């Protein structure tokens, strides 16, 4: 066991403070990573503030962070895919049973025994897992990803959650050229969804509640932008979309988007609002529409996504911040004011 530096919260209302945490020495299948950048996901904010108290209550102190890139520092004796000095990345999961049908099929995110990167029982040290707002992490090698060398590291970190969470449903539901795709909510996930849908050749319509984001949406790859409070502009797309990805972090009127879908159209929720969303069933009956959800992606698909990003030169648009600004970043995230992901430069934690 060794001590790592981390940034943690002690309660739902406390500011972040510096803290030393225990990390295990790498066992034979582990990789110890010196963290260089960690993205700030809205899930970090939900969890740190215990907004998901019903589904996933927060255990304090909490060290969030599941968009991790860094360099391998040490490897266990059985690790063959990584060596010290390699670039490496970790997303939302750090373990799973590896034997269940979901794991066997490459869907570790559906494994009943998976372990999330933070706020999950830690079978090695007891207590809960601690995430990437830290200078170091130790992870089973099955959950360590290769980072293509061409990617900017600060912008690559958010791919580990925002990237895979939007890439996976788009591949699953067949976003391709000739499809009309909606993206609701232009935040960390939403802006990655726009980049992927555009690169996959779809006609992309962004729905945003923030009129000032219109120019950015077009620059990111949107073909059209609709301000969601403009009901006439919304109506123009009624019954016309093949697929909608909804990445809104708070309660909102989902029915306004369901009616925009054409025959057999599907709207997938990736946003995780703390409150239930009322659904008008009639909106689904007409045109045989469906409403679905999706959570991150499997490890092989995450590697595929990173390689796709290298091939198409895709990274997240980031505001790089020192760790001392995380509280301020959370305030801005809560106001939908980030362009379009905060990425923490972990050098700022090393100098604490
Ligand atoms: P984010 O950067 O804060 O973006 C969310 C966007 O939603 C905002 O930029 C805003 O876009 C819109 N929005 C926020 N509050 C709203 C409100 N009250 N009404 C309408 N629109 C609102 O968050 P994120 O990191 O992309 O995460 C989005 C959600 O996905 C979170 O709930 C997060 O927990 C969840 N998530 C899920 C998964 C998964 O695997 N399913 C993975 C990661 C994150 P506009 O300004 O354009 O309206
Ligand atoms: Zn996330």
């Amino acid at each position: 066991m060794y001590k790592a530096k981390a940034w943690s919260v002690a309660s739902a209302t406390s500011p972040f403070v510096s803290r030393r945490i225990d990390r295990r020495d790498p066992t034979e299948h582990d990789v110890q990573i010196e963290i260089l950048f960690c993205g700030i996901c809205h899930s970090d904010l939900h969890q740190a503030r215990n907004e998901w108290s019903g589904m996933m209550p927060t255990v304090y102190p909490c060290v969030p962070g599941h968009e991790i890139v860094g360099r391998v520092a040490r490897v266990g004796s059985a690790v063959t895919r990584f060596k010290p000095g390699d670039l490496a990345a970790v997303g939302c999961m750090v373990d799973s049973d590896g034997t269940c049908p979901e794991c066997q099929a490459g869907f570790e995110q559906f494994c009943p025994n998976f372990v999330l990167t933070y706020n999950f029982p830690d079978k090695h040290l007891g207590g809960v897992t601690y995430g990437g707002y830290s200078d170091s992490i130790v992870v089973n090698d099955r959950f360590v990803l290769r980072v293509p060398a061409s990617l900017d590291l600060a912008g690559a970190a958010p791919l580990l959650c925002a990237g895979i969470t939007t890439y996976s449903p788009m591949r699953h539901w067949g976003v391709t050229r000739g499809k009309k795709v909606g993206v609701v909510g232009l935040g960390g996930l939403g802006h990655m969804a726009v980049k992927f849908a555009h690169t996959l050749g779809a006609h992309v319509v962004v729905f945003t509640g923030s009129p000032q984001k219109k120019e950015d949406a077009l620059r990111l790859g949107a073909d059209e932008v609709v301000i969601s409070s403009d009901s006439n502009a919304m109506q123009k797309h009624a019954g016309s979309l093949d697929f909608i990805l909804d990445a809104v972090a708070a309660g909102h009127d989902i029915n306004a988007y369901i009616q925009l879908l054409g025959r057999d159209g599907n709207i997938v929720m990736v946003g995780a609002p703390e409150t239930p969303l009322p659904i008008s069933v009639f909106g689904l009956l007409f045109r045989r529409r469906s409403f679905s959800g999706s959570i991150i992606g499997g490890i092989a698909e995450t590697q595929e996504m990173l390689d796709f990003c290298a091939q198409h030169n895709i990274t997240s648009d980031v505001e790089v911040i020192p760790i001392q600004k995380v509280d301020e970043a959370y305030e801005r995230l809560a106001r939908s004011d980030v362009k379009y992901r905060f990425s923490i430069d972990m050098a700022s934690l090393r100098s604490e």
Side-chain angles (χ1 to χ4, degrees), residues 41 43 66-67 92 161 341:
C41 179
S43 301
H66 56 208
E67 295 185 334
C92 300
C161 177
R341 200 60 146 184

Side-chain angles (χ1 to χ4, degrees), residues 105-293:
F107 295 121
E108 295 88 353
Q109 74 273 34
F110 306 132
C111 170
N113 299 307
F114 75 170
V115 179
L116 294 179
T117 305
Y118 60 84
N119 199 58
F120 232 69
D122 183 339
K123 70 180 181 201
H124 297 274
L125 298 178
V128 290
T129 50
Y130 293 132
Y133 298 6
S134 175
D135 61 358
S136 171
I137 192 166
V138 179
V139 178
N140 181 295
D141 67 343
R142 287 196 297 122
F143 289 82
V144 182
L145 286 303
R146 280 176 285 103
V147 182
S150 62
L151 296 179
D152 168 68
L153 294 183
L159 301 177
L160 276 301
C161 177
I164 184 60
T165 300
T166 51
Y167 179 87
S168 180
M170 287 200 190
R171 296 312 292 246
H172 181 70
W173 276 286
V175 169
T176 51
R177 196 165 300 283
K179 301 277 181 175
K180 186 174 172 187
V181 169
V183 174
V184 187
L186 196 65
L189 268 57
H191 96 290
M192 288 309 309
V194 173
K195 291 187 184 207
F196 286 136
H198 173 74
T199 304
L200 292 166
H203 180 91
V204 185
V205 187
V206 165
F207 298 91
T208 177
S210 308
Q212 72 279 11
K213 292 183 182 173
K214 185 171 178 181
E215 292 309 313
D216 283 344
L218 294 169
R219 175 181 57 77
L220 291 162
D223 297 285
E224 300 178 63
V225 183
V226 174
I227 309 305
S228 48
S229 55
D230 180 345
S231 50
N232 286 335
M234 290 282 285
Q235 213 44 46
K236 281 190 190 138
H237 294 276
S240 73
L241 285 137
D242 296 295
F243 177 77
I244 300 176
L245 182 142
D246 186 327
V248 172
H252 60 290
D253 180 12
I254 193 81
N255 300 301
Y257 297 102
I258 290 174
Q259 58 97 18
L260 303 185
L261 292 168
R263 171 165 53 79
D264 291 326
N266 173 49
I267 180 165
V268 64
M269 258 334 279
V270 289
E274 57 199 276
T275 49
L277 299 178
I279 291 201
S280 160
V281 168
F282 276 88
L284 296 175
L285 303 184
F286 288 106
R287 301 186 194 230
R288 199 165 53 190
R289 296 157 170 147
S290 49
F291 177 67
S292 54

Side-chain angles (χ1 to χ4, degrees), residues 86-117:
D86 286 351
L87 289 174
V90 178
C92 300
M93 300 178 284
V94 288
D95 208 355
S96 72
D97 61 31
T99 54
C100 73
E102 301 295 356
C103 286
Q104 295 290 308
F107 295 121
E108 295 88 353
Q109 74 273 34
F110 306 132
C111 170
N113 299 307
F114 75 170
V115 179
L116 294 179
T117 305

